Amino acid sequence: MRKQYSATYKAEIVKELLKEEKTLNQLAAETGIHPSQLKEWRKIVEQDCPRLFSGGAMVRSQSEQRAS
């Protein structure tokens, strides 16, 4: 059976990777997540990062905040 992780948890782990305070292998050992999986999550974030700053994403984010 595969383990499933929430998007929030994945984001927290990737933020830790991007800080570069710990090696990939250290973080893998601490979380019990295989290093290749952590690399894949980091790759997804790095590829999607420009989209997060595009006009459409920013407008949508601001309108969602106003609705709250």
Side-chain angles (χ1 to χ4, degrees):
M1 186 169 165
R2 290 179 136 191
K3 291 183 182 179
Q4 293 186 350
Y5 302 97
S6 71
T8 303
Y9 183 71
K10 292 177 184 180
E12 290 174 13
I13 299 300
V14 172
K15 281 195 272 187
E16 286 297 316
L17 278 173
L18 295 175
K19 287 181 186 177
E20 297 183 349
E21 293 174 352
K22 299 176 184 176
T23 67
L24 179 73
N25 288 328
Q26 286 175 322
L27 201 53
E30 288 177 12
T31 61
I33 301 170
H34 197 276
S36 63
Q37 184 65 63
L38 296 178
K39 286 181 188 179
E40 182 65 25
W41 292 349
R42 181 176 60 197
K43 179 180 165 186
I44 290 168
V45 168
E46 289 171 345
Q47 288 175 344
D48 284 350
C49 205
R51 183 187 56 80
L52 297 174
F53 292 100
S54 69
M58 295 299 287
V59 170
R60 188 174 346 109
S61 177
Q62 290 172 357
S63 65
E64 287 172 359
Q65 288 176 358
R66 289 183 194 135
S68 298

